[in-house]
Amino acid sequence: MSYETFFQNNREQHLNELKEWLSIPSISALSAHKADVNKAASWLEEKLKSAGLEHVEVHQTNGHPIITADYLHAPGKPTILVYGHYDVQPVDPLNLWTTPPFEPDIREGKLYARGATDDKGQLFLHVKAVEAILREEKELPVNIKFCIEGEEEISSASLPPFLDANKDKLATDAIIISDTSLLEPGKPAISTGLRGLCSLEIEINTANTDLHSGTFGGGVPNALHAIVELLATLHDKQGRVAVEGFYQGVPELSSMMREEFAKQNMDEQALTNKLGLETLYGEEGYSFVERTGARPTLELNGVYGGFQGEGTKTVIPKEALAKITCRLVGDQDPQDILDKIKVHLNSHVPTGATLKITDGEKARAFNIDPTDRVLQVAADAYASVYGTRALFTKDGGSIPIVETFSRVLGAPVVMMGFGLPDENLHAPDEHFNLENFDKGLLTIVEFLKTV
């Protein structure tokens, strides 16, 4: 029996099982759902066992459980580690869901539920692909391991120490993660880079109280004026970050990656029109997809201070604040970047103002060479099922645990996603296109049989 026939014959059962899992509200961020998170972990434990996996263990942590399993009966063959997460985002605003988020519903070829695409639906594909091979062939063509967590949506606090403590147990030749998207329907992609992150908050103070602009205007420093002047020094007129040393560790784009970016055929004018803009913006010499996927940024996320109520209040504010985040690439070190930004800010504080800086998040970028054999095999596996080879991309977002896996286990990571960009992950009416459910199963089987 072909695998396509096998999956078609078992499709209804597989979807019913997935619906059962999706009906468990495993919201890791809300303490009221701790029991549900544990229930979702137990559900997965049983499915891994029934699929034929061995040594299935639920590891308790200071947060939510981590589940491991393996099937190691292919001596001399590669070992593949599958990572995913069973926790989901909160569902608010509830009134914007067409059907209840934990009552899975199939409409027009799409499965709607919280966690459908992020990440229960995509993770489920790996469990069923392994189960199918074991049922059809009674053995696997590779050695397989699973490491599944329940805290991805709340920054994976328990996973890095778990990886450090279990390096030998989790040793692998490659790590496979399905928690990303195709570029568009029928156009698969493999991300070769995720940007890192660092953040900070700044506070400018001038006088010890707000002052009347009639009495003091023109004679004392204004905190809002000062912060606007300070923030304006962070970029030059060409869209580059003006902090000295900011671009240290940023690699130049290879000709191969520029070709891969060009193959995306991004219509910048269409995007400009869609967003209601007159023009796009960014560092000169790079396209939109290159700027947002492969170049570092420094962005103002919030600037506030002074009177913000209705009407007018003639006041000179004594304080102003700003929130800043940087997306990082290559070998940029988050703490080093924060330190350089602090030096820049402190050297540009306007006269009459004092500055306070508070560090925030820090995460390193993830990068992998697209010529790595395992990525090439994955691209071919997509081609065998989708009829078109996966493009190699770089994503602008940050998934810190990917870099952690790569560094701690010393293995290449293949971002082998089956979602679509418009599937409303983290938003109401999250869904998973069942065309990619079907093709995802076949693609994973093909990858495991050829890697």
Side-chain angles (χ1 to χ4, degrees):
M1 183 188 300
S2 72
Y3 281 100
E4 186 171 5
T5 301
F6 176 90
F7 288 126
Q8 281 300 315
N9 290 346
N10 289 277
R11 190 174 193 261
E12 184 176 358
Q13 177 188 333
H14 289 167
L15 286 175
N16 285 337
E17 289 179 19
L18 179 54
K19 285 181 179 179
E20 188 179 283
W21 199 21
L22 292 169
S23 71
I24 304 172
S26 50
I27 305 171
S28 54
L30 302 179
S31 58
H33 286 280
K34 185 171 180 60
D36 294 313
V37 177
N38 284 312
K39 183 179 179 181
S42 296
W43 187 96
L44 179 58
E45 175 190 13
E46 291 307 311
K47 290 303 174 185
L48 289 167
K49 289 178 180 177
S50 64
L53 275 298
E54 300 174 342
H55 308 114
V56 182
E57 297 181 67
V58 177
H59 307 266
Q60 297 302 323
T61 71
N62 291 330
H64 299 305
I66 294 170
I67 303 167
T68 60
D70 60 43
Y71 193 89
L72 309 174
H73 298 285
K77 299 293 185 179
T79 298
I80 305 298
L81 174 71
V82 176
Y83 162 78
H85 65 94
Y86 61 85
D87 63 320
V88 301
Q89 281 277 325
V91 297
D92 307 281
L94 192 58
N95 64 298
L96 296 183
W97 287 81
T98 304
T99 51
F102 297 109
E103 295 180 18
D105 185 48
I106 294 176
R107 304 191 298 275
E108 299 179 350
K110 302 172 183 177
L111 174 57
Y112 287 81
R114 174 58 89 226
T117 190
D118 182 24
D119 176 45
K120 288 178 179 175
Q122 296 200 57
L123 173 57
F124 185 76
L125 299 177
H126 289 275
V127 179
K128 290 302 162 183
V130 169
E131 179 182 71
I133 297 174
L134 284 173
R135 289 191 178 179
E136 288 295 286
E137 304 184 31
K138 313 306 179 188
E139 62 181 7
L140 294 180
V142 295
N143 301 292
I144 198 88
K145 297 181 181 180
F146 282 79
C147 180
I148 314 300
E149 67 159 324
E151 298 179 18
E152 194 275 344
E153 303 292 5
I154 52 173
S155 301
S156 302
S158 299
L159 190 52
F162 181 83
L163 294 180
D164 282 328
N166 292 275
K167 289 181 189 177
D168 292 340
K169 178 184 181 70
L170 299 174
T172 185
D173 295 302
I175 300 150
I176 307 300
I177 301 176
S178 295
D179 197 9
T180 51
S181 301
L182 283 69
L183 284 173
E184 58 187 57
K187 197 171 183 179
I190 296 173
S191 176
T192 66
L194 296 165
R195 291 194 289 191
L197 178 73
C198 66
S199 66
L200 65 153
E201 296 186 23
I202 70 171
E203 180 181 330
I204 285 283
N205 286 278
T206 49
N208 57 11
T209 184
D210 287 355
L211 297 168
H212 190 293
S213 69
T215 305
F216 293 93
V220 298
N222 181 315
L224 282 174
H225 293 183
I227 203 167
V228 169
E229 179 183 340
L230 178 60
L231 296 176
T233 70
L234 290 169
H235 294 85
D236 65 19
K237 298 296 184 182
Q238 288 72 46
R240 284 177 62 87
V241 178
V243 174
E244 185 175 352
F246 183 83
Y247 290 93
Q248 184 177 339
V250 176
E252 286 301 318
L253 280 173
S254 68
S255 58
M256 176 185 174
M257 279 311 306
R258 297 203 94 153
E259 289 173 8
E260 291 292 308
F261 278 124
K263 289 176 185 176
Q264 293 185 35
N265 296 318
M266 162 63 74
D267 187 335
E268 295 193 1
Q269 188 57 54
L271 177 63
T272 303
N273 297 340
K274 180 180 179 180
L275 297 178
L277 294 169
E278 291 185 1
T279 182
L280 298 176
Y281 167 83
E283 189 181 0
E284 287 186 355
Y286 297 92
S287 67
F288 175 83
V289 291
E290 289 170 346
R291 290 170 184 164
T292 58
R295 298 297 291 171
T297 67
L298 187 155
E299 297 287 355
L300 307 181
N301 307 120
V303 181
Y304 48 102
F307 178 65
Q308 300 176 51
E310 184 178 358
T312 301
K313 182 180 182 183
T314 53
V315 64
I316 299 174
K318 75 180 186 70
E319 68 177 9
L321 303 97
K323 293 178 181 289
I324 300 171
T325 54
C326 299
R327 298 289 179 169
L328 310 177
V329 302
D331 293 324
Q332 285 180 300
D333 178 81
Q335 188 59 57
D336 177 61
I337 294 298
L338 286 173
D339 292 341
K340 288 172 176 172
I341 294 172
K342 289 180 205 175
V343 169
H344 177 96
L345 291 171
N346 280 308
S347 66
H348 288 81
V349 179
T351 302
T354 59
L355 173 65
K356 177 184 176 183
I357 304 175
T358 304
D359 289 2
E361 302 166 275
K362 294 186 282 286
R364 297 190 70 101
F366 162 73
N367 295 283
I368 187 170
D369 185 344
T371 64
D372 189 291
R373 177 186 170 275
V374 71
L375 270 72
Q376 293 295 319
V377 172
D380 290 338
Y382 276 114
S384 71
V385 176
Y386 282 83
T388 183
R389 202 167 189 266
L391 291 179
F392 295 108
T393 65
K394 289 186 180 292
D395 292 340
S398 304
I399 309 176
I401 200 62
V402 175
E403 187 276 335
T404 305
F405 262 107
S406 177
R407 173 171 43 81
V408 174
L409 298 184
V413 179
V414 185
M415 304 288 288
M416 202 169 182
F418 298 98
L420 285 173
D422 63 353
E423 289 181 334
N424 289 12
L425 62 165
H426 294 204
D429 277 355
E430 178 182 347
H431 58 277
F432 190 21
N433 281 262
L434 295 183
E435 177 186 3
N436 292 320
F437 177 88
D438 298 329
K439 289 183 175 179
L441 288 164
L442 294 171
T443 303
I444 293 168
V445 169
E446 178 67 18
F447 173 78
L448 293 176
K449 290 175 70 67
T450 56
V451 72

